[in-house]
Amino acid sequence: MFGCDCFWWNSAPQSYPPEPEPFSLHAPLPQWPQGGGFASGRISLGRLEVLKITKFEKVWGCTSSHAKSQGLIFYKPLEIPDGFFCLGHYCQCNDQPLRGHVLVASETFTEPEAESPALKKPINYSLIWSADSPHDGCGYFWLPNPPVGYKAMGIVVTSKPDEPEVEEVRCVRADLTETCESCDLLISMNSKFSKISFKVWNTRPCKRGMWGKGVSVGTFFCSTYSDSNQVVDIACLKNLDTTLHAMPNINQIHALINHYGPTVYFHPNETYLPSSVQWFFKNGALLYSKGSEKGKAIDFQGSNLPIGETNDGAFWIDLPTDDVARNNVKKGNIESAELYVHVKPALGGTLTDIAMWVFCPFNGPAILKVGLVNIEMNRIGEHVGDWEHFTLRVSNFTGELWCVFFSQHSGGEWVDACNLEFVEGNKPIVYSSRHGHASFPHPGTYLQGASKIGIGVRNEAERSNLSLDSSTRYKVVAAEYLGIAEPCWLQYMREWGPNIVYDSRSEIDKLIDMLPVFVRFSLVNLFELFPTELYGEEGPTGPKGKGNWVGDEKCY
């Protein structure tokens, strides 16, 4: 199973890095509207009730073999209420504010004696790994060995070689758990005397998304033997309460958006601004069908759009045929624009995802970067009907903003609240890139492609007077757990723009001679380094056609 050795870590620092300071949002949280179990501090998972512990005592710390200034601190939770039990310890890097948590659990009721209890003490512990440091003493990592039919939830860390007491943690009955996987490698430590490497990861449920029942405990996983994602030695919790009682009601949703709704800043040189969907329809957008050359006007509410089914290529939307109207619609209308909000549960209903969708009638041409040369394309990268989004993730224990997902074309990134820019209290800033409308947490130039060698598509993000305040300019269009009536156009599952195939090879061929000698790759190699969007664009689908509508955001 696990190997056990005592190591001196590599590259011991001259001075040990300090512990991180606690983090808090810029402004106090409001008193959320009352109702249900949202922001009550406790969440029922059916057989178990859990609450979040954010107060910790440091047990041990270490420094990365690869970065002398970066350390990892291991903590045990403090101030656990009577009747609740620790499930494992917590750790985090010292270069981020202390903001994490672990869940502690209590049984909600006593089952008949014939039934096994939901929580049991471990039988004993197995020592996974130990380290002896001249700067911070010794650290010992213990895996709880659960009784038959139970699962361990996390690792226990001690500063002494004595095996922990079995009272330290509880294991959970297997049917109340789900499998978890490792993510976010936090540290890798190597011994001077052995090839064995000790690694520490965060964990997350294997099955995530809107209907996933897995609940992250906030503990970590560590081993000396595996780089695989699947974690077999510990598990996460499962929410068996189908009522999702901790999710916010509609009044609480509005309060959350009013308090946290980001301001979206568009580039000062942005040509293709957002609009409302209704403005797009009213100003001449046309519905085309296969086999017909003439487009049909779309009703203001989209009530004549074909709904449901799948994207079979039978229908698509395009701009008006009249040149003046076409150019007018391309530019959008920021005065009419609004954010379209989808509210959904995350991690078993312990978190709420507030996905905010931005519609732009047109996505502009790409800007290529090759070495020091920036090349504005004529048409490459253009398409009709651009849907982009960002997602606020809120804790259902407290109503606190936890992180924000920034969608960036076919990918994106989660950014913790402590690394965001804010305006007006707790409202984050979202920067929309020029022409492509990808979302970023900070201004700057972001390269999509072979960024290490300076070749790809430029995403330019900058603050300007062109902005959209989502805290006031929004419409909740979907929340399946509340049964909210969805607009007609949201049920349109086909493409919001025609398919486009670019003659990108011809266009780039004309530009090759403009490039400096040191970046004159062969044409074949050059094409391999650019994102695939340069070769053609299928008409984009609407929000419901995206994988993250029901699934979890990428990169989480």
Side-chain angles (χ1 to χ4, degrees), residues 246-259:
M247 291 292 293
N249 61 33
I250 190 63
N251 291 330
Q252 292 161 344
I253 289 171
H254 288 306
L256 288 167
I257 296 173
N258 294 157
H259 187 73

Side-chain angles (χ1 to χ4, degrees), residues 77-97:
L78 296 177
E79 300 182 15
I80 299 175
D82 291 341
F84 284 82
F85 297 95
C86 175
L87 302 176
H89 288 184
Y90 171 74
C91 77
Q92 73 161 63
C93 295
N94 74 314
D95 61 352
Q96 295 290 312

Side-chain angles (χ1 to χ4, degrees), residues 25 80 148 280 354 480 546:
L25 291 169
I80 299 175
V148 175
F280 179 59
I354 302 174
E480 287 84 352
K546 312 295 187 185

Side-chain angles (χ1 to χ4, degrees), residues 120-184:
K120 269 191 176 182
K121 302 172 189 177
I123 298 171
N124 53 27
Y125 297 83
S126 293
L127 181 60
I128 302 170
W129 189 79
S130 62
D132 189 1
S133 162
H135 299 274
D136 208 54
C138 297
Y140 301 86
F141 294 76
W142 305 88
L143 174 70
N145 293 319
V148 175
Y150 288 76
K151 293 282 189 179
M153 296 284 107
I155 307 298
V156 174
V157 184
T158 65
S159 58
K160 297 180 179 180
D162 303 324
E163 184 174 327
E165 299 290 335
V166 292
E167 290 286 350
E168 180 74 17
V169 294
R170 293 292 186 271
C171 300
V172 179
R173 205 172 68 200
D175 63 309
L176 306 178
T177 70
E178 287 214 343
T179 56
C180 65
E181 64 185 22
S182 60
C183 63
D184 303 330

Side-chain angles (χ1 to χ4, degrees), residues 277-278 281 299-308 477 485-493 496 544:
V277 168
Q278 285 73 23
F281 293 160
D299 175 81
F300 181 70
Q301 298 295 337
S303 59
N304 62 335
L305 291 170
I307 63 173
V477 296
E486 299 176 0
C488 299
W489 56 262
L490 189 58
Q491 316 309 316
Y492 172 69
M493 303 301 291
W496 285 71
K544 264 198 168 181

Side-chain angles (χ1 to χ4, degrees), residues 521-542:
F521 296 80
S522 71
L523 194 58
V524 173
N525 289 338
L526 186 62
F527 267 72
E528 290 176 352
L529 295 174
F530 287 127
T532 56
E533 293 95 299
L534 293 187
Y535 312 134
E537 289 281 1
E538 290 187 356
T541 57

